[in-house]
Amino acid sequence: MIFNFILWYPSSKARELVELVKKMGKPPSYVKKWLTFQTGEGKKGIKHYNIIFTEKGHGDDAIVEVSKMFRPFLDHESVEGKFEVLVSARDALKILS
């Protein structure tokens, strides 16, 4: 399973949120790959993408554990979050056929 955890936060809170990153801990062993990107999001500040790849059969477990890791960010009053399950183009074609 591949999923994306998106966070938006004001640029002025970036240094404060770095401290939360230090407290996140390590992802579970069934998380195969974790890519992180960020971009400016105009008046919203910063948009942060976390694209997470899990071992087959561990998607549900990963969603729970990664959500726990992000809980401190989502509890912060200036952070908005969104969770998305991603489908590869190859799998999307299977859905269409």
Side-chain angles (χ1 to χ4, degrees):
M1 177 183 282
I2 306 167
F3 58 95
N4 187 14
F5 223 111
I6 304 170
L7 299 174
W8 291 269
Y9 52 90
S11 302
S12 62
K13 298 293 183 178
R15 284 197 173 103
E16 188 177 323
L17 295 172
V18 166
E19 294 304 314
L20 295 179
V21 172
K22 294 175 184 176
K23 297 176 183 177
M24 281 181 76
K26 298 201 183 263
S29 61
Y30 43 78
V31 170
K32 295 190 317 185
K33 190 176 200 178
W34 187 318
L35 303 172
T36 304
F37 303 93
Q38 74 176 38
T39 186
E41 182 69 2
K43 291 183 180 182
K44 277 192 161 184
I46 297 171
K47 187 175 187 180
H48 196 112
Y49 296 94
N50 293 274
I51 301 172
I52 300 161
F53 298 77
T54 67
E55 289 179 2
K56 193 170 189 159
H58 289 281
D60 292 344
D61 298 329
I63 289 169
V64 170
E65 292 306 314
V66 170
S67 295
K68 286 180 188 177
M69 292 173 74
F70 278 106
R71 183 83 258 150
F73 294 93
L74 298 173
D75 286 343
H76 197 282
E77 77 266 356
S78 63
V79 176
E80 293 179 47
K82 181 179 179 183
F83 179 84
E84 301 173 327
V85 175
L86 303 178
V87 179
S88 70
R90 178 177 283 164
D91 287 341
L93 289 173
K94 290 178 189 174
I95 292 168
L96 295 172
S97 59

